[in-house]
Amino acid sequence: MIDETGTMLFHQTMPFTERLGIEVLEHGPALVRSRLAWDESLCTLGGVVHGGVLMSLADATGAVCAYLNLPEGKQGTTTVESKTNFLRAVRSGYATASATPLHAGRSFIVVETEIRDDAGKLVAKVTQTQAVL
């Protein structure tokens, strides 16, 4: 089921996510889940979703997770480091990202995001550090 409030949050704060067609499934401090549908316009040759698209999905999902874990009185975050390991291709269906906080400190928030395909197989693992603004 689509989380309409979460989807609106993504699209209003990061308009690029609307262009990619990202839908939010769940959003809260402990877990943010979003997905994007395979589309030929998002692919490289051979019908494989482009790695940059998957990184954008992970970055946006992780950013909202970090935002939802901000210390009191802070305004936002920005990505200062991101590490992606690609494990398999997405050639159809959806790529679904699940982000969880690993560390929520006063200066930095570290988030881990897993991207899985429709079969539940791990497509990519992303660890990102967000600076607290």
Side-chain angles (χ1 to χ4, degrees), residues 69-93:
N69 282 280
L70 278 171
E72 188 175 325
K74 297 300 181 176
Q75 301 292 317
T77 68
T78 189
T79 305
V80 295
E81 187 272 339
S82 185
K83 165 75 167 85
T84 303
N85 289 304
F86 294 106
L87 306 170
R88 66 178 4 95
V90 175
R91 291 185 170 88
S92 64

Side-chain angles (χ1 to χ4, degrees), residues 47-116:
V48 173
V49 174
H50 190 283
V53 171
L54 295 175
M55 291 170 75
S56 294
L57 173 65
D59 185 64
T61 306
V64 170
C65 184
Y67 177 79
L68 294 173
N69 282 280
L70 278 171
E72 188 175 325
K74 297 300 181 176
Q75 301 292 317
T77 68
T78 189
T79 305
V80 295
E81 187 272 339
S82 185
K83 165 75 167 85
T84 303
N85 289 304
F86 294 106
L87 306 170
R88 66 178 4 95
V90 175
R91 291 185 170 88
S92 64
Y94 287 91
T96 302
S98 299
T100 57
L102 295 178
H103 170 75
R106 290 178 290 142
S107 301
F108 295 99
I109 299 172
V110 180
V111 177
E112 183 174 75
T113 304
E114 290 186 347
I115 300 175
R116 295 186 177 271

Side-chain angles (χ1 to χ4, degrees), residues 20-66:
L20 289 175
I22 294 175
E23 302 171 317
V24 176
L25 303 172
E26 177 180 355
H27 77 289
L31 175 66
V32 177
R33 291 179 58 238
S34 66
R35 69 180 186 181
L36 63 78
W38 180 96
D39 185 275
E40 187 176 12
S41 69
L42 302 175
C43 293
T44 62
L45 293 176
V48 173
V49 174
H50 190 283
V53 171
L54 295 175
M55 291 170 75
S56 294
L57 173 65
D59 185 64
T61 306
V64 170
C65 184

